[in-house]
Amino acid sequence: MIHRIDVRVIAPVRDTEVTDRVVDAVENLFPNAEISQKPGRVVGEAHSMEAFSERLHEQEILDTARREFFARADEDGFAFALKKQAAFQGLVNFAVGNPDELGDVEVQVTVHDPDVESVVDHVAPPTEEGRPIDPE
């Protein structure tokens, strides 16, 4: 199944941070993102979440990812926030509660085709006893 999505990743750059490190943080989780630097932030644009999905599988956090995706989902897409420090290390750590002092990495996914639930199921499939369930 073909998924048509637009992924926008926005990471704030604080005065105390090196912009290249923030770029690295975004590229660690979204290696195919096209990065642009704006005053005070780094913006990445991508059309795939394959590498991000692989990381979710490796870290065995599919259920957590699904919860976060659906918590901020509507018919047009979904959004979630990630801890920047973990992203520097190539790890997915969802930001919940108070924002980090360095600012959280905001990810907005716009789904064009087929629908939000199908894209979430592809990126973070449902699990049973911690194992991904193959779609019928």
Side-chain angles (χ1 to χ4, degrees):
M1 177 179 295
I2 302 293
H3 296 103
R4 287 193 327 110
I5 61 174
D6 293 324
V7 182
R8 185 173 173 87
V9 184
I10 302 166
V13 180
R14 300 290 187 242
D15 293 341
T16 57
E17 293 181 296
V18 177
T19 302
D20 287 347
R21 280 186 44 101
V22 178
V23 169
D24 288 347
V26 172
E27 288 179 335
N28 283 343
L29 299 181
F30 298 93
N32 59 350
E34 200 171 289
I35 305 291
S36 58
Q37 296 180 20
K38 314 268 190 223
R41 64 189 176 146
V42 168
V43 178
E45 304 275 351
H47 301 287
S48 164
M49 293 181 70
E50 293 307 315
F52 189 79
S53 176
E54 287 171 20
R55 191 73 73 221
L56 296 176
H57 282 79
E58 288 166 12
Q59 290 182 230
E60 298 180 353
I61 56 171
L62 296 171
D63 292 334
T64 301
R66 290 178 65 78
R67 243 190 335 271
E68 289 302 312
F69 295 167
F70 284 124
R72 291 174 53 196
D74 60 27
E75 66 274 0
D76 297 323
F78 57 97
F80 54 95
L82 299 168
K83 293 285 185 195
K84 197 190 301 178
Q85 196 63 40
F88 282 133
Q89 298 162 1
L91 298 172
V92 175
N93 187 353
F94 290 97
V96 291
N98 296 330
D100 193 275
E101 66 184 48
L102 294 178
D104 295 329
V105 177
E106 281 290 330
V107 182
Q108 301 159 336
V109 182
T110 304
V111 178
H112 300 290
D113 202 39
D115 58 70
V116 172
E117 191 168 350
S118 297
V119 171
V120 170
D121 285 351
H122 179 75
V123 174
T127 65
E128 195 170 281
E129 296 179 13
R131 302 243 178 266
I133 301 169
D134 288 329
E136 304 300 318

